Amino acid sequence: MASRKVIIGVMGPGTTAAHKESTGAHESLAMELGRQIASHGWLLLTGGRNIGVMDAACRGAKSAGGTTIGILPGPQTSDVSDAVDIPIITGLGSARNNINALSSAVLVAVGMGPGTASEVALALKAQKPVILLGATPEAEKFFASLDAGLVHTAADVEAAITHIKAVLPAQ
Amino acid sequence: MASRKVIIGVMGPGTTAAHKESTGAHESLAMELGRQIASHGWLLLTGGRNIGVMDAACRGAKSAGGTTIGILPGPQTSDVSDAVDIPIITGLGSARNNINALSSAVLVAVGMGPGTASEVALALKAQKPVILLGATPEAEKFFASLDAGLVHTAADVEAAITHIKAVLPAQ
Amino acid sequence: MASRKVIIGVMGPGTTAAHKESTGAHESLAMELGRQIASHGWLLLTGGRNIGVMDAACRGAKSAGGTTIGILPGPQTSDVSDAVDIPIITGLGSARNNINALSSAVLVAVGMGPGTASEVALALKAQKPVILLGATPEAEKFFASLDAGLVHTAADVEAAITHIKAVLPAQ
Amino acid sequence: MASRKVIIGVMGPGTTAAHKESTGAHESLAMELGRQIASHGWLLLTGGRNIGVMDAACRGAKSAGGTTIGILPGPQTSDVSDAVDIPIITGLGSARNNINALSSAVLVAVGMGPGTASEVALALKAQKPVILLGATPEAEKFFASLDAGLVHTAADVEAAITHIKAVLPAQ
């Protein structure tokens, strides 16, 4: 369909009572990334919860008038980010991570944690381009070793946007 | 979030090479239902494929300027309806039917078949209101026997819309 | 593989604090059915929880020295029936119902409720034979209307076993 | 239940027409690992297909009289390993990887690839102990950086078995 908008996935750690995986720096990056994704006319897809990178990316996209899709792990809407326009309630737990990978034309990981690592790996399994932003050196080396052709490392949000444009299929 | 739009699910048979489960009459009902859902400002969610009731409902919604979400069973976009704005690629096969049920505030079944029956049953399991439109008498009696309080039968599209308004939570 | 054992699925309502869907009569049927499945050398597959029909069927199978597989909806083992030998922890909620349908050579529904109805419908969608035992007349008429060739009604456990033998592929 | 057997997951690459991810060395390790898992009285769980590490591990377990569980990604039994006793047919594609993680008391990864990486990450997300056998240095460093307390590196099959014993809950 000529007019269907491209979906860009932004993945990254949330936080838990036991463990705060995302940092303020990651959330700032995610917010700016979400803002720029919306400015380019792309749809933003995240894990949809009201915490961490996923929440920040959605808030950024909304600040630029974008549309946000959240793929929620739980069976109801109680923990959906206020900045999600379209909550998809999967009830699948972490099995929903594969939907994030399959539904995104490009996946951008901001920061890293076990859940985010699974989403990057599932995206590579599905032959999707992945961009790492604010990842650790260990993550960059490992994912490049899995599939150097699909994995790109971005130094900042501008570089991530440039990478997205480069890997999108011509419209 | 005060401004988040309500999602209405429309489920119904597709067609296969071996068996055409949906009829022209069901597709006409689905198209008019989709049109009216869009006119009321609700989002339309379907199974997303380019056949049968799901395709017709999406085309109806697009004709009225609505937004359409498709929850696809397969792992890629090859069979997505052209009238789907937001394709969610699950790769789950029929397990995706539970996402349709959980993500919809109200589920409307147009016609009936094994897949549609599973979606109605899963919606009732999740305590969601269901509206049957163009169902068989056997379907109406069975689902009413499962949960009479949640199952409504509509004689036509107008009645289905009236039922949707009645069961939506006050905004 | 010549020696792989046939898997027979037994589905049926559990109970909840709010609503007791299974009855003592259904649980007695399920226990005897599980016992006979084990006696015939088949593996028993259920939803695996420690309540209702699924628990009773597993206890029956264990009483006859059988092996029991439980496909659990939750993400951990806290509600697994003691009579399940092999707990498969899906974390998928009701989306796991499709695994029950796909993994069973034949599905027997004992009693009826929304979850059980979804399993029967998903089995028919996957072209699996289904046997209804202790179902309501409304359920029998509805599922026969969906696919008369695949749906069988059994008056008692003996009849269910006879039906299973009739529909199993020749070994 | 006192007598329920422990389930040990063995994950690793398969092969495809396009790309042979597993090597003969990995398959030899997997076969010996499967054999020893069976010898210890544990159940073996794999991805169940008739290729690569998953097939080799199952064949090893069968050679020692063990019981093997295969969690298949596809919707039917056509690609099940002959050495799988209990095929669970999920139809979920790679979303089934989370079932592998949740259902195993301990996960052993033999070799590495995108699918295996997702299984290791999902196991860590679920707080399961993981043992890496024959992994790349990049994989060992990355997963240790995600959760050093849960990730163990084994130099050979004997070391993997020793690690499994160390991390299993006392019976």
Side-chain angles (χ1 to χ4, degrees), chain A residues 101-164:
Chain A
L102 296 176
S103 300
S104 301
V106 183
L107 204 81
V108 188
V110 182
M112 190 53 60
T116 308
S118 74
E119 285 155 333
V120 170
L122 290 164
L124 297 179
K125 179 78 177 172
Q127 295 288 303
K128 299 274 184 176
V130 169
I131 298 166
L132 302 177
L133 177 62
T136 57
E138 291 87 350
E140 293 176 2
K141 283 176 193 157
F142 172 61
F143 288 116
S145 79
L146 283 185
D147 196 326
L150 287 173
V151 175
H152 307 266
T153 296
D156 54 25
V157 171
E158 277 307 316
I161 295 290
T162 301
H163 278 306
I164 293 173

Short mmCIF file of all heavy atoms in Angstrom, two decimals, chain A residues 101-164:
data_model
loop_
_atom_site.label_atom_id
_atom_site.label_comp_id
_atom_site.label_asym_id
_atom_site.label_seq_id
_atom_site.Cartn_x
_atom_site.Cartn_y
_atom_site.Cartn_z
N ALA A 101 10.10 -7.53 17.15
CA ALA A 101 11.11 -7.71 16.10
C ALA A 101 10.46 -7.83 14.73
O ALA A 101 10.89 -7.18 13.76
CB ALA A 101 11.95 -8.94 16.42
N LEU A 102 9.41 -8.65 14.64
CA LEU A 102 8.80 -8.91 13.32
C LEU A 102 8.05 -7.70 12.78
O LEU A 102 7.95 -7.53 11.56
CB LEU A 102 7.83 -10.10 13.42
CG LEU A 102 8.43 -11.46 13.75
CD1 LEU A 102 7.31 -12.50 13.89
CD2 LEU A 102 9.42 -11.91 12.69
N SER A 103 7.50 -6.87 13.67
CA SER A 103 6.64 -5.77 13.21
C SER A 103 7.41 -4.50 12.87
O SER A 103 6.84 -3.58 12.28
CB SER A 103 5.59 -5.44 14.29
OG SER A 103 4.78 -6.56 14.56
N SER A 104 8.69 -4.44 13.22
CA SER A 104 9.49 -3.24 12.97
C SER A 104 10.30 -3.41 11.69
O SER A 104 10.90 -4.46 11.48
CB SER A 104 10.46 -3.01 14.15
OG SER A 104 9.75 -2.86 15.36
N ALA A 105 10.34 -2.37 10.86
CA ALA A 105 11.20 -2.39 9.67
C ALA A 105 12.66 -2.33 10.08
O ALA A 105 13.53 -2.93 9.44
CB ALA A 105 10.85 -1.22 8.76
N VAL A 106 12.93 -1.59 11.12
CA VAL A 106 14.28 -1.44 11.69
C VAL A 106 14.10 -1.42 13.20
O VAL A 106 13.12 -0.85 13.70
CB VAL A 106 14.95 -0.13 11.26
CG1 VAL A 106 16.36 -0.03 11.81
CG2 VAL A 106 14.93 0.04 9.75
N LEU A 107 15.05 -2.02 13.92
CA LEU A 107 14.98 -2.02 15.38
C LEU A 107 16.14 -1.20 15.92
O LEU A 107 17.29 -1.46 15.57
CB LEU A 107 15.09 -3.46 15.88
CG LEU A 107 14.51 -3.76 17.25
CD1 LEU A 107 12.99 -3.96 17.13
CD2 LEU A 107 15.11 -5.02 17.84
N VAL A 108 15.85 -0.24 16.78
CA VAL A 108 16.91 0.52 17.46
C VAL A 108 16.89 0.12 18.92
O VAL A 108 15.85 0.23 19.59
CB VAL A 108 16.70 2.04 17.34
CG1 VAL A 108 17.93 2.77 17.88
CG2 VAL A 108 16.40 2.44 15.90
N ALA A 109 18.04 -0.36 19.42
CA ALA A 109 18.17 -0.68 20.84
C ALA A 109 18.88 0.47 21.53
O ALA A 109 19.97 0.86 21.12
CB ALA A 109 18.96 -1.97 21.03
N VAL A 110 18.25 1.00 22.57
CA VAL A 110 18.86 2.09 23.35
C VAL A 110 19.20 1.52 24.73
O VAL A 110 18.31 1.17 25.49
CB VAL A 110 17.89 3.27 23.48
CG1 VAL A 110 18.56 4.41 24.26
CG2 VAL A 110 17.43 3.75 22.12
N GLY A 111 20.48 1.44 25.02
CA GLY A 111 20.90 0.74 26.23
C GLY A 111 20.82 -0.76 26.01
O GLY A 111 20.61 -1.23 24.88
N MET A 112 20.98 -1.51 27.07
CA MET A 112 20.99 -2.97 26.92
C MET A 112 20.59 -3.63 28.24
O MET A 112 20.88 -3.11 29.32
CB MET A 112 22.40 -3.45 26.51
CG MET A 112 22.52 -4.91 26.09
SD MET A 112 21.37 -5.46 24.78
CE MET A 112 21.80 -4.36 23.41
N GLY A 113 19.93 -4.76 28.12
CA GLY A 113 19.54 -5.58 29.25
C GLY A 113 19.09 -6.91 28.67
O GLY A 113 19.09 -7.08 27.45
N PRO A 114 18.71 -7.88 29.52
CA PRO A 114 18.34 -9.20 28.99
C PRO A 114 17.17 -9.14 28.00
O PRO A 114 17.21 -9.79 26.96
CB PRO A 114 17.98 -9.98 30.25
CG PRO A 114 18.76 -9.34 31.34
CD PRO A 114 18.78 -7.88 31.00
N GLY A 115 16.13 -8.39 28.34
CA GLY A 115 14.98 -8.32 27.44
C GLY A 115 15.35 -7.67 26.11
O GLY A 115 14.97 -8.15 25.03
N THR A 116 16.10 -6.58 26.19
CA THR A 116 16.54 -5.89 24.97
C THR A 116 17.43 -6.79 24.14
O THR A 116 17.32 -6.83 22.90
CB THR A 116 17.30 -4.60 25.35
OG1 THR A 116 16.47 -3.85 26.24
CG2 THR A 116 17.62 -3.76 24.12
N ALA A 117 18.32 -7.53 24.79
CA ALA A 117 19.19 -8.45 24.06
C ALA A 117 18.37 -9.49 23.31
O ALA A 117 18.70 -9.86 22.17
CB ALA A 117 20.17 -9.13 25.02
N SER A 118 17.30 -9.96 23.93
CA SER A 118 16.47 -10.96 23.23
C SER A 118 15.80 -10.34 22.01
O SER A 118 15.67 -10.99 20.97
CB SER A 118 15.42 -11.56 24.18
OG SER A 118 14.37 -10.66 24.44
N GLU A 119 15.41 -9.08 22.11
CA GLU A 119 14.76 -8.43 20.97
C GLU A 119 15.75 -8.21 19.82
O GLU A 119 15.41 -8.39 18.65
CB GLU A 119 14.13 -7.10 21.42
CG GLU A 119 12.84 -7.37 22.21
CD GLU A 119 12.45 -6.28 23.18
OE1 GLU A 119 13.34 -5.53 23.66
OE2 GLU A 119 11.25 -6.17 23.47
N VAL A 120 16.97 -7.82 20.15
CA VAL A 120 18.00 -7.67 19.11
C VAL A 120 18.25 -9.02 18.44
O VAL A 120 18.31 -9.14 17.20
CB VAL A 120 19.29 -7.09 19.70
CG1 VAL A 120 20.44 -7.17 18.70
CG2 VAL A 120 19.06 -5.65 20.15
N ALA A 121 18.41 -10.08 19.24
CA ALA A 121 18.70 -11.40 18.68
C ALA A 121 17.55 -11.90 17.80
O ALA A 121 17.76 -12.45 16.72
CB ALA A 121 18.98 -12.39 19.81
N LEU A 122 16.31 -11.67 18.27
CA LEU A 122 15.15 -12.11 17.47
C LEU A 122 15.04 -11.32 16.18
O LEU A 122 14.63 -11.85 15.14
CB LEU A 122 13.87 -11.99 18.30
CG LEU A 122 13.77 -13.01 19.45
CD1 LEU A 122 12.69 -12.60 20.45
CD2 LEU A 122 13.47 -14.41 18.91
N ALA A 123 15.40 -10.04 16.22
CA ALA A 123 15.39 -9.24 14.98
C ALA A 123 16.42 -9.79 14.00
O ALA A 123 16.14 -9.92 12.80
CB ALA A 123 15.67 -7.77 15.30
N LEU A 124 17.60 -10.14 14.48
CA LEU A 124 18.62 -10.70 13.59
C LEU A 124 18.16 -12.05 13.04
O LEU A 124 18.35 -12.35 11.86
CB LEU A 124 19.95 -10.86 14.33
CG LEU A 124 20.57 -9.55 14.82
CD1 LEU A 124 21.87 -9.82 15.57
CD2 LEU A 124 20.80 -8.57 13.67
N LYS A 125 17.52 -12.84 13.88
CA LYS A 125 16.98 -14.13 13.41
C LYS A 125 15.99 -13.91 12.26
O LYS A 125 15.94 -14.71 11.32
CB LYS A 125 16.28 -14.82 14.59
CG LYS A 125 15.63 -16.14 14.28
CD LYS A 125 16.65 -17.26 14.21
CE LYS A 125 16.02 -18.62 13.96
NZ LYS A 125 17.02 -19.65 13.70
N ALA A 126 15.24 -12.81 12.34
CA ALA A 126 14.25 -12.51 11.29
C ALA A 126 14.84 -11.65 10.18
O ALA A 126 14.09 -11.14 9.33
CB ALA A 126 13.04 -11.79 11.92
N GLN A 127 16.18 -11.49 10.19
CA GLN A 127 16.87 -10.76 9.13
C GLN A 127 16.47 -9.29 9.06
O GLN A 127 16.34 -8.70 7.97
CB GLN A 127 16.63 -11.43 7.77
CG GLN A 127 17.22 -12.82 7.66
CD GLN A 127 18.76 -12.74 7.56
OE1 GLN A 127 19.31 -12.10 6.66
NE2 GLN A 127 19.44 -13.36 8.51
N LYS A 128 16.27 -8.68 10.23
CA LYS A 128 15.93 -7.26 10.31
C LYS A 128 17.17 -6.45 10.66
O LYS A 128 17.97 -6.88 11.52
CB LYS A 128 14.91 -7.02 11.43
CG LYS A 128 13.60 -7.74 11.23
CD LYS A 128 12.65 -6.93 10.38
CE LYS A 128 11.31 -7.64 10.28
NZ LYS A 128 10.32 -6.84 9.55
N PRO A 129 17.34 -5.27 10.08
CA PRO A 129 18.45 -4.40 10.48
C PRO A 129 18.27 -3.92 11.92
O PRO A 129 17.15 -3.63 12.35
CB PRO A 129 18.35 -3.21 9.52
CG PRO A 129 17.32 -3.56 8.51
CD PRO A 129 16.49 -4.68 9.04
N VAL A 130 19.39 -3.84 12.63
CA VAL A 130 19.39 -3.42 14.03
C VAL A 130 20.40 -2.29 14.20
O VAL A 130 21.51 -2.35 13.65
CB VAL A 130 19.79 -4.60 14.94
CG1 VAL A 130 20.06 -4.12 16.36
CG2 VAL A 130 18.72 -5.68 14.93
N ILE A 131 20.03 -1.30 14.97
CA ILE A 131 20.94 -0.19 15.29
C ILE A 131 21.12 -0.15 16.80
O ILE A 131 20.13 -0.13 17.55
CB ILE A 131 20.38 1.15 14.77
CG1 ILE A 131 20.27 1.09 13.24
CG2 ILE A 131 21.25 2.32 15.22
CD1 ILE A 131 19.44 2.19 12.64
N LEU A 132 22.37 -0.16 17.24
CA LEU A 132 22.69 -0.09 18.67
C LEU A 132 23.08 1.33 19.03
O LEU A 132 23.99 1.91 18.42
CB LEU A 132 23.84 -1.04 19.00
CG LEU A 132 23.63 -2.51 18.65
CD1 LEU A 132 24.91 -3.32 18.96
CD2 LEU A 132 22.43 -3.09 19.39
N LEU A 133 22.39 1.87 20.04
CA LEU A 133 22.64 3.25 20.48
C LEU A 133 22.85 3.23 21.99
O LEU A 133 21.97 2.76 22.73
CB LEU A 133 21.42 4.12 20.12
CG LEU A 133 21.41 5.59 20.53
CD1 LEU A 133 22.55 6.35 19.87
CD2 LEU A 133 20.06 6.22 20.14
N GLY A 134 24.01 3.67 22.41
CA GLY A 134 24.28 3.67 23.84
C GLY A 134 24.46 2.28 24.40
O GLY A 134 24.20 2.03 25.58
N ALA A 135 24.90 1.36 23.55
CA ALA A 135 25.13 -0.01 24.03
C ALA A 135 26.53 -0.11 24.63
O ALA A 135 27.39 0.74 24.41
CB ALA A 135 24.97 -1.01 22.88
N THR A 136 26.74 -1.18 25.37
CA THR A 136 28.07 -1.45 25.92
C THR A 136 28.98 -1.98 24.81
O THR A 136 28.51 -2.52 23.81
CB THR A 136 27.96 -2.52 27.01
OG1 THR A 136 27.35 -3.68 26.43
CG2 THR A 136 27.11 -2.03 28.18
N PRO A 137 30.30 -1.85 25.00
CA PRO A 137 31.22 -2.45 24.03
C PRO A 137 31.02 -3.95 23.89
O PRO A 137 31.11 -4.50 22.78
CB PRO A 137 32.61 -2.15 24.62
CG PRO A 137 32.41 -1.01 25.57
CD PRO A 137 31.01 -1.10 26.06
N GLU A 138 30.70 -4.63 24.99
CA GLU A 138 30.47 -6.07 24.92
C GLU A 138 29.29 -6.39 24.00
O GLU A 138 29.32 -7.37 23.24
CB GLU A 138 30.18 -6.64 26.32
CG GLU A 138 31.36 -6.64 27.28
CD GLU A 138 31.47 -5.32 28.05
OE1 GLU A 138 30.75 -4.33 27.71
OE2 GLU A 138 32.27 -5.29 29.02
N ALA A 139 28.25 -5.58 24.10
CA ALA A 139 27.06 -5.81 23.26
C ALA A 139 27.41 -5.55 21.79
O ALA A 139 27.02 -6.31 20.90
CB ALA A 139 25.91 -4.91 23.71
N GLU A 140 28.13 -4.47 21.55
CA GLU A 140 28.46 -4.13 20.16
C GLU A 140 29.29 -5.24 19.51
O GLU A 140 29.04 -5.64 18.37
CB GLU A 140 29.22 -2.81 20.11
CG GLU A 140 28.34 -1.63 20.53
CD GLU A 140 29.10 -0.31 20.59
OE1 GLU A 140 30.32 -0.30 20.27
OE2 GLU A 140 28.48 0.71 20.95
N LYS A 141 30.26 -5.75 20.27
CA LYS A 141 31.12 -6.80 19.69
C LYS A 141 30.34 -8.10 19.49
O LYS A 141 30.51 -8.80 18.49
CB LYS A 141 32.33 -7.06 20.60
CG LYS A 141 33.39 -5.98 20.46
CD LYS A 141 34.55 -6.18 21.44
CE LYS A 141 35.42 -4.93 21.50
NZ LYS A 141 36.19 -4.83 22.76
N PHE A 142 29.49 -8.43 20.45
CA PHE A 142 28.76 -9.70 20.35
C PHE A 142 27.78 -9.68 19.17
O PHE A 142 27.77 -10.59 18.34
CB PHE A 142 28.01 -10.00 21.64
CG PHE A 142 27.09 -11.18 21.52
CD1 PHE A 142 27.60 -12.44 21.21
CD2 PHE A 142 25.72 -11.04 21.69
CE1 PHE A 142 26.76 -13.54 21.08
CE2 PHE A 142 24.88 -12.15 21.56
CZ PHE A 142 25.40 -13.39 21.25
N PHE A 143 26.97 -8.65 19.08
CA PHE A 143 25.96 -8.66 18.01
C PHE A 143 26.61 -8.52 16.63
O PHE A 143 26.13 -9.12 15.66
CB PHE A 143 24.88 -7.61 18.27
CG PHE A 143 23.97 -8.01 19.41
CD1 PHE A 143 23.91 -7.26 20.57
CD2 PHE A 143 23.20 -9.16 19.31
CE1 PHE A 143 23.09 -7.65 21.63
CE2 PHE A 143 22.38 -9.56 20.37
CZ PHE A 143 22.33 -8.80 21.52
N ALA A 144 27.72 -7.79 16.56
CA ALA A 144 28.44 -7.74 15.27
C ALA A 144 28.97 -9.12 14.91
O ALA A 144 29.01 -9.49 13.72
CB ALA A 144 29.58 -6.73 15.35
N SER A 145 29.35 -9.90 15.93
CA SER A 145 29.85 -11.25 15.64
C SER A 145 28.73 -12.18 15.16
O SER A 145 28.97 -13.15 14.45
CB SER A 145 30.53 -11.86 16.88
OG SER A 145 29.58 -12.36 17.81
N LEU A 146 27.49 -11.86 15.54
CA LEU A 146 26.36 -12.70 15.08
C LEU A 146 26.01 -12.42 13.63
O LEU A 146 25.71 -13.33 12.87
CB LEU A 146 25.12 -12.45 15.95
CG LEU A 146 25.06 -13.09 17.32
CD1 LEU A 146 23.70 -12.81 17.95
CD2 LEU A 146 25.29 -14.60 17.25
N ASP A 147 25.99 -11.13 13.27
CA ASP A 147 25.62 -10.78 11.89
C ASP A 147 26.08 -9.36 11.60
O ASP A 147 25.33 -8.39 11.75
CB ASP A 147 24.10 -10.89 11.71
CG ASP A 147 23.72 -10.91 10.24
OD1 ASP A 147 24.39 -10.24 9.43
OD2 ASP A 147 22.76 -11.62 9.89
N ALA A 148 27.33 -9.26 11.12
CA ALA A 148 27.93 -7.94 10.92
C ALA A 148 27.17 -7.12 9.87
O ALA A 148 27.15 -5.89 9.93
CB ALA A 148 29.40 -8.09 10.50
N GLY A 149 26.52 -7.79 8.94
CA GLY A 149 25.84 -7.06 7.87
C GLY A 149 24.57 -6.37 8.33
O GLY A 149 24.14 -5.38 7.74
N LEU A 150 23.96 -6.87 9.40
CA LEU A 150 22.68 -6.31 9.85
C LEU A 150 22.84 -5.37 11.04
O LEU A 150 21.90 -4.64 11.37
CB LEU A 150 21.73 -7.44 10.25
CG LEU A 150 21.11 -8.26 9.10
CD1 LEU A 150 20.33 -9.45 9.65
CD2 LEU A 150 20.20 -7.38 8.24
N VAL A 151 23.98 -5.41 11.72
CA VAL A 151 24.13 -4.67 12.98
C VAL A 151 24.93 -3.39 12.74
O VAL A 151 26.04 -3.43 12.19
CB VAL A 151 24.84 -5.53 14.04
CG1 VAL A 151 25.10 -4.72 15.30
CG2 VAL A 151 24.01 -6.76 14.36
N HIS A 152 24.37 -2.28 13.16
CA HIS A 152 25.00 -0.97 13.01
C HIS A 152 25.12 -0.32 14.39
O HIS A 152 24.19 -0.44 15.20
CB HIS A 152 24.17 -0.09 12.08
CG HIS A 152 23.88 -0.74 10.78
ND1 HIS A 152 24.64 -0.56 9.66
CD2 HIS A 152 22.90 -1.61 10.43
CE1 HIS A 152 24.15 -1.30 8.66
NE2 HIS A 152 23.09 -1.93 9.10
N THR A 153 26.21 0.36 14.62
CA THR A 153 26.39 1.06 15.88
C THR A 153 26.30 2.56 15.62
O THR A 153 26.93 3.06 14.69
CB THR A 153 27.75 0.72 16.50
OG1 THR A 153 27.77 -0.68 16.80
CG2 THR A 153 28.00 1.50 17.76
N ALA A 154 25.49 3.23 16.42
CA ALA A 154 25.32 4.67 16.25
C ALA A 154 25.89 5.39 17.46
O ALA A 154 25.65 4.99 18.61
CB ALA A 154 23.84 5.00 16.10
N ALA A 155 26.64 6.45 17.19
CA ALA A 155 27.26 7.20 18.28
C ALA A 155 26.28 8.15 18.94
O ALA A 155 26.41 8.48 20.12
CB ALA A 155 28.47 7.98 17.75
N ASP A 156 25.28 8.58 18.18
CA ASP A 156 24.29 9.50 18.74
C ASP A 156 22.98 9.38 17.95
O ASP A 156 22.89 8.58 17.01
CB ASP A 156 24.81 10.94 18.74
CG ASP A 156 25.27 11.38 17.35
OD1 ASP A 156 24.77 10.82 16.34
OD2 ASP A 156 26.14 12.27 17.28
N VAL A 157 21.99 10.16 18.36
CA VAL A 157 20.66 10.04 17.73
C VAL A 157 20.72 10.39 16.25
O VAL A 157 20.09 9.71 15.42
CB VAL A 157 19.64 10.92 18.48
CG1 VAL A 157 18.31 10.98 17.72
CG2 VAL A 157 19.41 10.38 19.89
N GLU A 158 21.48 11.41 15.91
CA GLU A 158 21.60 11.78 14.49
C GLU A 158 22.12 10.61 13.66
O GLU A 158 21.62 10.33 12.56
CB GLU A 158 22.52 12.98 14.32
CG GLU A 158 21.86 14.32 14.56
CD GLU A 158 20.59 14.50 13.72
OE1 GLU A 158 20.59 14.16 12.52
OE2 GLU A 158 19.58 14.96 14.28
N ALA A 159 23.14 9.93 14.18
CA ALA A 159 23.71 8.79 13.44
C ALA A 159 22.69 7.67 13.33
O ALA A 159 22.61 6.98 12.30
CB ALA A 159 24.97 8.30 14.14
N ALA A 160 21.89 7.49 14.37
CA ALA A 160 20.86 6.44 14.31
C ALA A 160 19.85 6.76 13.21
O ALA A 160 19.46 5.88 12.43
CB ALA A 160 20.16 6.30 15.66
N ILE A 161 19.44 8.00 13.13
CA ILE A 161 18.46 8.40 12.09
C ILE A 161 19.07 8.21 10.71
O ILE A 161 18.41 7.72 9.77
CB ILE A 161 18.01 9.85 12.32
CG1 ILE A 161 17.25 9.98 13.64
CG2 ILE A 161 17.18 10.35 11.14
CD1 ILE A 161 15.88 9.33 13.67
N THR A 162 20.33 8.57 10.55
CA THR A 162 21.01 8.38 9.26
C THR A 162 21.03 6.89 8.89
O THR A 162 20.77 6.53 7.74
CB THR A 162 22.44 8.93 9.35
OG1 THR A 162 22.37 10.33 9.68
CG2 THR A 162 23.17 8.76 8.01
N HIS A 163 21.31 6.03 9.88
CA HIS A 163 21.31 4.59 9.63
C HIS A 163 19.91 4.10 9.23
O HIS A 163 19.76 3.27 8.34
CB HIS A 163 21.77 3.82 10.86
CG HIS A 163 23.26 3.75 11.03
ND1 HIS A 163 24.09 3.28 10.03
CD2 HIS A 163 24.05 4.06 12.06
CE1 HIS A 163 25.34 3.31 10.46
NE2 HIS A 163 25.35 3.79 11.69
N ILE A 164 18.90 4.58 9.93
CA ILE A 164 17.53 4.14 9.60
C ILE A 164 17.23 4.46 8.14
O ILE A 164 16.74 3.61 7.39
CB ILE A 164 16.49 4.83 10.52
CG1 ILE A 164 16.65 4.37 11.97
CG2 ILE A 164 15.07 4.55 10.02
CD1 ILE A 164 15.77 5.13 12.97
#
